[in-house]
């Protein structure tokens, strides 16, 4: 049941950077995306077309896309919140977009100022227009294992949002534990609720390591046959709901675990470690990957 190969979706240059306090200049963001692709990642989220005043860290994504080779066999999805964002993404040459919905009503209201069903309606229009133009659409669901405002989220609610994303044509649906609070049994229950209704090939997992549960949860997802894992180099992106805590699971840690399990992924861990260190130096923040820290060369040690 465990897949022989896994696709890692690197979210550091979008989901990671948007939660960092320091804003990188565009050339540094281009270099980050390129170096991740050079390390072997085939899917690197390159930025976002949300309003620049909301997330200045990842504004100017059209300039980032213009600095990338779109024909090199690497996918560079960008986050799109609405039709205006889609227009801008299309003008910038994006070939893949990501849309997002929450599994928690309160989170949806606080995060994007509308109900879940209103967001589904909005994104259906975005997805239809994108798909009509040959653009691939990925769907994110946040709060799949808990909500920072209301606590528990039911697996059935996640399933209903997942079905809506599937209905609107998302080729892949990424289940996001936004606050990193999920544990392995909860993860298993969630996946068991969804898989009878949505093919496992269309599911991805997006775990945060806030409570140190990410790899355990990823293992459960792999055992259920899920073969797409989102992660962020060096664990970029803190957790906005737990001050000072880590956010996205680190790509280096995922790669190390997959190596140990003999699962193919195509990423060069040594190169990835160098990318992780360099970006953390630029951002003036600590490396949040255990594997990266464990591999620190002697001259890093004091
Ligand atoms: Mg994330």
């Amino acid at each position: 049941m465990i897949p022989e190969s896994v696709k890692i979706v690197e979210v550091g240059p979008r989901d990671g950077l948007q939660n960092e306090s320091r804003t990188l200049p565009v050339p540094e963001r281009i270099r980050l995306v390129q170096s991740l692709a050079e390390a072997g990642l085939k899917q690197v989220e390159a930025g976002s077309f949300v309003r620049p005043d909301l997330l200045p860290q990842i504004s100017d994504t059209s300039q980032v896309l213009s600095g990338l080779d779109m024909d090199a066999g690497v996918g560079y999805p960008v986050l799109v919140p609405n039709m205006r964002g889609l227009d801008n993404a299309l003008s910038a040459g994006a070939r893949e977009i990501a849309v997002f919905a929450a599994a928690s009503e309160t989170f949806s209201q606080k995060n994007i100022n509308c109900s879940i069903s209103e967001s589904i309606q909005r994104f259906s229009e975005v997805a239809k227009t994108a798909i009509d133009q040959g653009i691939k659409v990925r769907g994110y669901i946040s709060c799949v294992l808990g909500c920072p405002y209301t606590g528990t989220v039911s697996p059935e609610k996640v399933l209903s949002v997942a079905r809506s994303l599937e209905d609107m044509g998302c080729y892949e649906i990424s289940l996001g534990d936004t606050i990193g609070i999920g544990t392995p049994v909860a993860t298993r229950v969630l996946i068991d609720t969804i898989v009878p209704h949505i093919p496992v090939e269309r599911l991805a997992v997006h775990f945060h390591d806030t409570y140190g549960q990410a790899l355990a949860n990823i293992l459960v997802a792999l055992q259920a046959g899920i073969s797409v894992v989102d992660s962020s180099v060096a664990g970029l992106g803190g957790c906005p709901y737990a001050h000072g805590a880590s956010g996205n699971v680190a790509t280096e840690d995922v790669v190390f675990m997959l190596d140990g399990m003999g699962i193919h992924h195509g990423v060069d861990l040594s190169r990835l470690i160098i990318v992780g260190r360099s970006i953390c130096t630029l951002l003036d923040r600590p490396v949040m990957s255990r594997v990266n820290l464990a591999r620190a060369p002697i001259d890093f040690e004091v």
Side-chain angles (χ1 to χ4, degrees):
M1 195 66 179
I2 289 186
E4 284 176 16
S5 75
V6 158
K7 178 176 81 174
I8 298 176
V9 178
E10 168 63 46
V11 300
R14 196 281 298 174
D15 188 14
L17 292 186
Q18 80 175 43
N19 288 305
E20 294 291 334
S21 50
R22 189 170 280 197
T23 298
L24 292 184
V26 165
E28 298 294 355
R29 285 168 59 199
I30 294 172
R31 207 162 301 144
L32 172 62
V33 175
Q34 284 173 334
S35 59
L36 290 163
E38 285 162 12
L41 288 148
K42 291 287 179 218
Q43 192 77 354
V44 183
E45 214 176 29
S48 164
F49 284 86
V50 299
R51 263 171 42 201
D53 55 313
L54 295 178
L55 291 171
Q57 301 96 322
I58 48 170
S59 61
D60 300 321
T61 289
S62 49
Q63 291 176 43
V64 174
L65 288 183
S66 70
L68 299 173
D69 178 1
M70 303 299 273
D71 295 312
V74 177
Y76 297 116
V78 291
L79 201 72
V80 162
N82 49 35
M83 290 300 282
R84 185 178 174 171
L86 177 63
D87 287 343
N88 292 336
L90 291 173
S91 304
R95 294 185 189 169
E96 180 172 345
I97 64 163
V99 297
F100 49 95
S104 154
E105 205 58 70
T106 307
F107 189 88
S108 186
Q109 289 288 356
K110 296 214 182 216
N111 196 38
I112 52 176
N113 293 312
C114 65
S115 69
I116 295 172
S117 69
E118 285 166 343
S119 75
I120 295 292
Q121 219 169 353
R122 183 198 299 170
F123 284 124
S124 295
E125 191 189 352
V126 170
K128 185 181 183 317
T129 310
I131 291 165
D132 284 349
Q133 303 201 35
I135 303 295
K136 291 171 73 181
V137 181
R138 186 173 205 248
Y140 280 110
I141 308 178
S142 55
C143 298
V144 300
L145 289 166
C147 167
Y149 307 108
T150 58
T152 314
V153 170
S154 86
E156 287 72 25
K157 187 70 199 171
V158 181
L159 173 61
S160 106
V161 175
R163 281 178 137 157
S164 300
L165 291 173
E166 188 192 30
D167 288 346
M168 73 173 74
C170 292
Y171 76 94
E172 194 167 274
I173 295 154
S174 176
L175 306 171
D177 181 12
T178 310
I179 53 175
I181 205 163
T183 48
V185 172
T187 300
R188 182 80 215 194
V189 169
L190 173 68
I191 293 171
D192 285 349
T193 304
I194 294 176
V195 164
H197 306 281
I198 294 180
V200 74
E201 299 78 30
R202 294 181 68 174
L203 296 175
V205 285
H206 183 114
F207 285 112
H208 282 203
D209 207 27
T210 320
Y211 291 84
Q213 306 298 301
L215 287 181
N217 292 338
I218 289 170
L219 177 60
V220 167
L222 296 173
Q223 287 168 335
I226 291 177
S227 63
V228 184
V229 176
D230 298 0
S231 62
S232 175
V233 64
L236 286 190
C239 179
Y241 308 101
H243 182 66
S246 55
N248 297 293
V249 66
T251 309
E252 297 94 312
D253 297 1
V254 174
V255 165
F256 185 86
M257 184 174 86
L258 295 176
D259 280 342
M261 296 172 72
I263 297 174
H264 180 76
H265 49 74
V267 181
D268 181 329
L269 180 57
S270 302
R271 291 183 83 156
L272 186 63
I273 282 172
I274 293 166
V275 177
R277 283 186 201 157
S278 309
I279 190 64
C280 287
T281 302
L282 280 176
L283 290 166
D284 191 24
R285 57 155 280 162
V287 170
M288 297 298 263
S289 159
R290 295 286 184 87
V291 169
N292 198 323
L293 292 170
R295 289 280 178 91
I298 301 299
D299 61 356
F300 272 56
E301 290 174 7
V302 179

